Amino acid sequence: TLIRHWIRVLQIAIALLTVLPTGLRDPIRTTDVAQAVRFFPLVGLGLGGILWGIQTLLHPWLSRELLAWILVSALLGLTGMLHFDGFLDCCDALWTRDPQRRLEILKDSRVGSFAVGGAWILLMGKWLALTHLPPSLLPPALLSGSLVGRWGLVLAVAWFPYGREEGLGVAYKAGCNRWLVTWVSLGVVGVLVGIGGWLGLAMGLAAAGVTGVVGSWISKRLPQGLTGDCYGLLVEVLEVLSWLGFSLTGGSPSD
């Protein structure tokens, strides 16, 4: 039935972006992957909901700093470090001075100095953002960060060419047409406003702008187009910037 079909597509989206059990048994088809793209922001919202649940459960018992460390670690674990791995690869590849080696470095499993430095900046930024958020803003920040990160992935797939001839990105690209992206974006913005009011709306507009700027910069470094690692970079950047945005507008930690 139609309902079962879309439940399966949602399960595929969860399987693509997380390590959460989905109960999928049948082989995943390329057409299913293309359709799953529309659910990526919903998966992000679900991840934010899990983080919110962890925060609600542990907040009475742990210090702000330890709780922030657990939340950052939990998100890495829930996603199987998928986006984080892409972020690391991009740090090494995009900053090298040799344009011919950038795609080669993206395929290399080894980690270089740019990746180590980028990882420290990213994780420290997330930790600091969460430690400086007043408790009242933690739920909307956790929900919005994961949501806009996966929304940015959809926007990047739609707005920029894919840089390889095969891979999941080809299926992602096939699933992103103008109308789908429009309706998904309207839904995401509506949820952001419901979560954070004017601040949620501002985060949504900022996320779209950052996706455009970062995607354009990557396109100059990789003229062939973006890769899956680049999508991971965008997810991580949007998450940390969203959390930092909430922390900078949310008052002092003692609030």
Side-chain angles (χ1 to χ4, degrees), residues 103-238:
L103 281 177
E104 296 177 15
I105 294 173
L106 285 175
K107 297 179 181 178
D108 194 335
S109 61
R110 292 173 294 181
V111 173
S113 56
F114 284 116
V116 174
W120 188 89
I121 294 170
L122 174 73
L123 297 178
M124 183 58 69
K126 288 187 174 184
W127 183 82
L128 284 173
L130 294 182
T131 57
H132 284 73
L133 270 170
S136 62
L137 281 183
L138 261 176
L142 293 173
L143 291 170
S144 298
S146 296
L147 172 60
V148 300
R150 280 72 191 170
W151 178 43
L153 193 163
V154 176
L155 293 179
V157 170
W159 290 350
F160 302 101
Y162 183 62
R164 300 193 190 280
E165 296 181 357
E166 57 184 17
L168 286 175
V170 176
Y172 291 170
K173 195 73 176 175
C176 280
N177 58 61
R178 181 183 304 174
W179 292 110
L180 183 142
V181 173
T182 299
W183 285 111
V184 168
S185 298
L186 289 174
V188 168
V189 172
V191 172
L192 288 171
V193 172
I195 292 171
W198 69 267
L199 187 54
L201 176 61
M203 292 301 165
L205 296 175
V210 170
T211 300
V213 171
V214 174
S216 297
W217 177 75
I218 294 175
S219 296
K220 294 179 181 178
R221 307 292 286 179
L222 297 174
Q224 302 93 330
L226 277 62
T227 68
D229 288 326
C230 302
Y231 300 150
L233 170 75
L234 274 166
V235 170
E236 293 289 352
V237 168
L238 290 173

Side-chain angles (χ1 to χ4, degrees), residues 55-80:
Q55 184 265 335
T56 302
L57 180 65
L58 299 181
H59 176 259
W61 313 102
L62 301 179
S63 67
R64 182 187 300 269
E65 292 77 13
L66 182 55
L67 179 57
W69 177 77
I70 289 175
L71 291 173
V72 173
S73 302
L75 186 55
L76 287 174
L78 288 168
T79 58

